[in-house]
Amino acid sequence: MTSNRRIDWCELDGDVRVHGARGTVTLVGAPRAEEWRVRPYPRKVDPNAMRHVTNITVRSTTTLPGAAEEEECAIKHSVPALLFSDRGYTGNYFHAYTDVILPLFLTAKRYGGEVQFLVSDMQMWWVGKFLPVFKSLSNYDLVDLAADNRTRCFQHVQVGLTCHADFSIDPLRAPNGYSMVDFTRHMRGVYGLPRGLAVPAAGARPRLLLIARASTRRFVNADEIVRAAQKVGFEVVVSEGTHEVAPFAELANTCDAMLGVHGAGLTNMVFLPTGGVVIQVVPLGGLEFVAGYFRTPSRDMGLRYLEYRIAPAESTLTEQYPSDHPIFTDPDGVKSKGWDSLKQVYLDKQDVRLDLKRFRPLLKKAIAHIRANKLQ
């Protein structure tokens, strides 16, 4: 059993029997009988995330294999199994990656496809959305545990995915020294993306992808931002993305830089070519701590990270509240009331109007970095 602040996971070796419908994983013929409950999703201290994640009973028995009280194997597998949940916050694009897809890569990549995925709480729409990722890591169809009323036998099962930190891999602890660069390389391969390095074609302008959010945290003056970026030398593409992953992945990979207000859309940095640039605009409200979800990971992916923290005058909150309101004078007090309080004000009610005189130097830094890239 291994545990960290995000998740508990358990590895079992020997005669391991999984009964999906009952949610049990049993090691038969162990030196001693023990039992644990494991919820295989990496948000263990967040009750809201975990409320729909099924508890898996992990146990060992001293019963010898073949004893009458042990159910016989309906299916014997010659490959190991990984058991995980796809529930929690996976409806959010960022959480889909940081809570399942990245940990799955970290845990499964070393098996070269010879591993069976067992999914608790399966959401078919979600599995379908990311099916190319699952197929890239396993040569076998996913098993919907809740619908599987048979006993499957394995020689090795891991309940819960290995997970280091949010949207992060520590190569010193990873199998085979995997890193975030390896993860982005793998994801580009999943979707057949051709550009591995952010070097514009001869005579072509570097491309900037401006992520245009449809509702909250929008760029109010997006047209002005486009013109400013074009003036410093970028070709600009504006897109919010769609439900389908592949089209937006393909678009992101054609670009050399990505610009967006803090939000799940920035997760698409995984498809940027190495050496590209990520510009994260941090809204008002002391949100530097959530900006960290993209700050360190982008650097670990081999991208240049630039951060722009807006001034009060660049926030549309100034149009909704007087200047002496606590949301301006005491953001820590707003945050102290909990995540819902912070989210309601600073994430859900706020749009951004960039001061282009202040912002233009970052655009110049971004394009200078890209133009300095050389083919290797």
Side-chain angles (χ1 to χ4, degrees):
M1 179 74 78
T2 306
S3 181
N4 62 27
R5 65 181 183 82
R6 299 196 72 216
I7 190 171
D8 304 320
W9 71 90
C10 184
E11 296 187 64
L12 304 94
D13 282 296
D15 184 349
V16 189
R17 306 191 181 195
V18 180
H19 196 289
R22 295 176 188 163
T24 59
V25 179
T26 306
L27 176 63
V28 178
R32 62 183 181 273
E34 298 179 280
E35 183 171 307
W36 304 270
R37 294 293 182 92
V38 177
R39 288 198 284 180
Y41 183 79
R43 294 277 160 188
K44 72 179 187 181
V45 297
D46 186 337
N48 191 50
M50 302 302 285
R51 61 181 173 169
H52 297 303
V53 178
T54 299
N55 258 313
I56 302 297
T57 300
V58 179
R59 62 194 181 189
S60 61
T61 71
T62 56
T63 306
L64 295 177
E69 58 264 38
E70 284 302 325
E71 292 188 40
E72 292 196 14
C73 302
I75 304 174
K76 291 185 177 181
H77 295 264
S78 60
V79 299
L82 299 178
L83 192 160
F84 60 93
S85 173
D86 70 347
R87 195 64 64 153
Y89 292 145
T90 55
N92 174 281
Y93 192 66
F94 170 75
H95 284 284
Y97 279 82
T98 191
D99 293 349
V100 178
I101 294 193
L102 178 56
L104 191 62
F105 166 84
L106 177 61
T107 313
K109 176 66 174 173
R110 59 179 161 168
Y111 294 113
E114 289 302 301
V115 60
Q116 175 69 64
F117 295 157
L118 310 175
V119 186
S120 62
D121 316 307
M122 184 182 278
Q123 303 177 93
M124 289 305 300
W125 70 268
W126 190 87
V127 168
K129 179 173 182 174
F130 293 101
L131 193 58
V133 178
F134 297 125
K135 287 186 173 181
S136 74
L137 293 168
S138 174
N139 299 328
Y140 306 92
D141 292 337
L142 283 76
V143 173
D144 180 354
L145 278 184
D148 191 29
N149 200 27
R150 296 170 293 180
T151 299
R152 295 173 179 267
C153 292
F154 301 86
Q155 293 181 339
H156 179 88
V157 175
Q158 180 169 329
V159 180
L161 300 174
T162 305
C163 187
H164 293 162
D166 279 309
F167 210 27
S168 180
I169 294 174
D170 178 357
L172 296 178
R173 291 186 288 158
N176 301 323
Y178 294 133
S179 67
M180 291 297 283
V181 171
D182 294 313
F183 175 64
T184 57
R185 186 182 297 119
H186 180 82
M187 292 302 297
R188 290 196 298 265
V190 167
Y191 292 99
L193 307 179
R195 297 185 71 221
L197 188 65
V199 177
R205 287 183 161 214
R207 279 167 64 91
L208 171 70
L209 173 59
L210 189 151
I211 298 176
R213 296 174 59 90
S215 52
T216 63
R217 284 163 280 151
R218 297 176 304 119
F219 283 122
V220 175
N221 60 337
D223 290 345
E224 294 177 27
I225 298 169
V226 169
R227 288 194 291 272
Q230 290 172 334
K231 193 169 290 186
V232 301
F234 279 111
E235 175 189 348
V236 183
V237 181
V238 181
S239 180
E240 182 192 359
T242 63
H243 174 78
E244 298 297 322
V245 178
F248 202 70
E250 292 167 3
L251 175 62
N253 189 246
T254 68
C255 296
D256 306 287
M258 178 181 293
L259 163 63
V261 180
H262 172 79
L266 287 173
T267 310
N268 288 291
M269 67 175 66
V270 300
F271 303 116
L272 281 178
T274 302
V277 178
V278 174
I279 306 174
Q280 178 175 204
V281 175
V282 183
L284 208 62
L287 296 176
E288 291 77 14
F289 74 103
V290 293
Y293 292 143
F294 298 110
R295 185 185 300 123
T296 300
S298 63
R299 293 166 177 162
D300 290 345
M301 293 176 192
L303 302 170
R304 173 71 185 277
Y305 175 80
L306 300 173
E307 185 171 295
Y308 181 82
R309 301 178 186 182
I310 71 168
E314 295 172 279
S315 172
T316 59
L317 291 175
T318 58
E319 301 166 9
Q320 304 170 53
Y321 299 92
S323 59
D324 60 351
H325 194 280
I327 67 166
F328 300 117
T329 61
D330 186 23
D332 287 340
V334 176
K335 286 188 287 185
S336 69
K337 296 177 182 178
W339 174 256
D340 288 340
S341 174
L342 178 151
K343 180 177 182 296
Q344 182 181 14
V345 174
Y346 297 120
L347 298 181
D348 293 346
K349 289 185 177 181
Q350 182 171 196
D351 292 326
V352 171
R353 182 180 290 104
L354 289 185
D355 177 343
L356 293 172
K357 186 175 181 180
R358 258 188 95 216
F359 185 70
R360 191 171 288 109
L362 263 75
L363 290 173
K364 291 180 177 179
K365 280 185 181 179
I367 202 163
H369 173 80
I370 295 163
R371 284 173 171 164
N373 288 340
K374 305 293 181 184
L375 284 173
Q376 297 176 346

